[in-house]
Amino acid sequence: MRLRFAPSPTGYLHIGNARTALFNYLLAKKHRGKFILRIEDTDIARSEKEFEKGIIEDLRWLGIDWDEGPEKGGDFGPYRQSERLKTYREFAERLLKQDKAYYCYCSKGELEQRNKELLARGESPRYDNRCRNLTKNQGIEYKLEGRRPVIRFKIPERMIEINDLIRGKVSFDTRLMGDFIIMKSDGTPTFNFAVVVDDILMRITTVIRGEDHLSNTPRHIMLFEALKAKIPEFAHMAMTLGPDGSRLSKRHGATSVREYRRLGMLPEAFFNYLALLGWGTKESQELFTKEELIKEFSLERCKEGAAIFDIEKLTWMNGLYIRKKEPEELVRLSLPYLKEKGLGGEEDYLRKIIVLERERIKKLSEVPELIEYFLVEKIKFDPEAVEKVLKRPEVKEILTSLKQELENLSDFSAGSLEKTIRNWTKNKDLKTKDVFHPLRVAITGRTVGPGLFETMEVLGKERVLKRLKGAERKC
Ligand code: GLU
């Protein structure tokens, strides 16, 4: 099996396209076939090198690797359409020679006018095949007028049926279509033509792509037939929608893989979540390793209905993956986010902090805010906590006295701290909550966090005493 992902570098890798890449990749790997990356950059005005680079980086980040493609090479390259223009011209020539294509001199304005007329009559706009039977002389005349022709494909009139691997039988009546352009007047191919020529030459056996391409498929099939090539199998995946059922857009939040990378999603989590967008096992299993996905994936279990991209679920899943990470690795992954906020610390100290906070991290971008109080000299106090907890009349005395008790404590481990503070509370005839709450606010500035004694152990004696002193001033 040979499958391909064929992005157009007109933007960064969109969630929907990343899923297309993933499904092609999974199926290729499952059948020990080849996965090919092809850059479809014939739209010169909209394609950018920067986007191509970005797409490649994001695919690599996701853990999707290809057997053939730009930079990597392969037997059927080049894998960038802009480097294959000569080939498309040759194929178009072939169709012209066989009378399966023709030059069309109609101008944009003329076409627009005719489409307007069709619309006014309640018909859908399409080319009226006017230049199909031009005489040689008419062609020469048009050329002399300075018109630059496009090349159109002569559509055979018939029904076309495809057996889509996800959607089943779908049929199209070509009588409703006009002859379509395969080569533009600037000598570059149209998307429909380049795709087919490349799928033929790159020996693609299976095309998995978004449903938005379904209406192009009959055109592709006619071209495969005209070029006497084997037609690949097709699988059109339903679109990805936002939670409100409308097409996924900026309105729903980030839509590119890059943005989720920045937010601190882990590639493993993202890979896993993407696979569940429109696919699932009978048992509705949610967590999969890459190897499991390669083993389990099948087009039969792809859903025909739209997939809903739910950021909350992705975030939840990311949290699960974060919890499975070794603390050392989590520290390494968090460092860029900390640095961005001007935070940092000794590796060993950071590791201990991360062990404490790991359960609460849902994405790496939350790490700085979550652990900031461990890393700064002057902690920020939650004003409400100061008001409701520290300002209570008895608190100042409790903190002062507790500070003295802790000054004499040599074993500052969580166990020893708990025993000491509980005993002290009991001896003073106080309730635990009346001591623990102010103590937490005093040393962290917040009302919630990981275990109080574990937090104190990680902060260490010196910091804890300093913070108690500082908090006294707030009481
Ligand atoms: N270049 C097309 C796109 O980005 C994909 C074409 C295809 O998969 O056939 O939508």
Side-chain angles (χ1 to χ4, degrees), residues 4-10 17 20 24 38-41 81 191-192 195-196 199 207-210 212-213 216-217 220 234 236:
R4 53 31 167 214
F5 174 52
S8 307
T10 53
N17 289 338
T20 305
N24 277 290
R38 181 171 79 220
I39 302 293
E40 304 211 321
D41 57 351
Q81 288 189 330
F191 155 74
N192 282 321
V195 162
V196 172
D199 283 346
V207 171
I208 306 176
R209 62 185 171 200
D212 49 338
H213 285 296
N216 291 322
T217 306
H220 297 175
F234 290 99
H236 289 92

Side-chain angles (χ1 to χ4, degrees), residues 220-273:
H220 297 175
I221 289 179
M222 289 185 268
L223 286 170
F224 278 111
E225 286 175 346
L227 292 164
K228 298 208 165 30
K230 194 163 180 277
I231 302 171
E233 294 190 290
F234 290 99
H236 289 92
M237 299 184 304
M239 293 283 102
T240 314
L241 306 179
D244 61 355
S246 68
R247 204 166 165 169
L248 190 63
S249 72
K250 281 272 162 234
R251 217 159 23 86
H252 300 109
T255 52
S256 72
V257 171
R258 187 149 288 236
E259 287 165 284
Y260 286 97
R261 251 176 95 173
R262 280 210 197 103
L263 283 173
M265 298 294 173
L266 299 180
E268 306 91 307
F270 207 77
F271 191 99
N272 187 157
Y273 181 71

Side-chain angles (χ1 to χ4, degrees), residues 92-270:
E93 286 296 329
R94 204 197 289 178
L95 289 177
L96 282 170
K97 261 199 204 115
Q98 294 170 357
D99 201 24
K100 291 175 179 165
Y102 59 90
Y103 286 109
C104 161
Y105 295 87
C106 298
S107 72
K108 242 198 181 121
E110 287 163 350
L111 293 172
E112 272 166 20
Q113 180 56 33
R114 278 182 245 153
N115 280 340
K116 249 192 227 154
E117 285 162 21
L118 281 176
L119 276 172
R121 270 187 269 140
E123 288 179 50
S124 48
R126 61 168 189 274
Y127 183 59
D128 58 8
N129 304 349
R130 185 172 298 221
C131 290
R132 245 195 207 208
N133 302 309
L134 283 189
T135 61
K136 232 187 175 143
N137 280 344
Q138 280 168 315
I140 294 171
E141 240 167 70
Y142 279 141
K143 258 198 199 135
L144 288 174
E145 277 176 32
R147 294 182 184 236
R148 291 176 66 206
V150 298
I151 301 176
R152 286 190 187 264
F153 178 70
K154 257 189 203 172
I155 287 188
E157 287 188 2
R158 50 175 276 225
M159 290 300 289
I160 288 184
E161 196 168 77
I162 64 166
N163 207 351
D164 191 277
L165 298 176
I166 296 176
R167 321 176 61 83
K169 278 198 186 0
V170 192
S171 39
F172 304 86
D173 186 348
T174 68
R175 276 163 299 201
L176 303 172
M177 305 172 191
D179 290 345
F180 59 91
I181 302 176
I182 55 173
M183 293 296 278
K184 298 182 236 174
S185 57
D186 64 0
T188 62
T190 56
F191 155 74
N192 282 321
F193 192 52
V195 162
V196 172
V197 170
D198 288 348
D199 283 346
I200 294 172
L201 294 177
M202 293 178 188
R203 304 197 188 164
I204 300 303
T205 60
T206 315
V207 171
I208 306 176
R209 62 185 171 200
E211 198 181 53
D212 49 338
H213 285 296
L214 186 61
S215 60
N216 291 322
T217 306
R219 293 185 179 84
H220 297 175
I221 289 179
M222 289 185 268
L223 286 170
F224 278 111
E225 286 175 346
L227 292 164
K228 298 208 165 30
K230 194 163 180 277
I231 302 171
E233 294 190 290
F234 290 99
H236 289 92
M237 299 184 304
M239 293 283 102
T240 314
L241 306 179
D244 61 355
S246 68
R247 204 166 165 169
L248 190 63
S249 72
K250 281 272 162 234
R251 217 159 23 86
H252 300 109
T255 52
S256 72
V257 171
R258 187 149 288 236
E259 287 165 284
Y260 286 97
R261 251 176 95 173
R262 280 210 197 103
L263 283 173
M265 298 294 173
L266 299 180
E268 306 91 307
F270 207 77

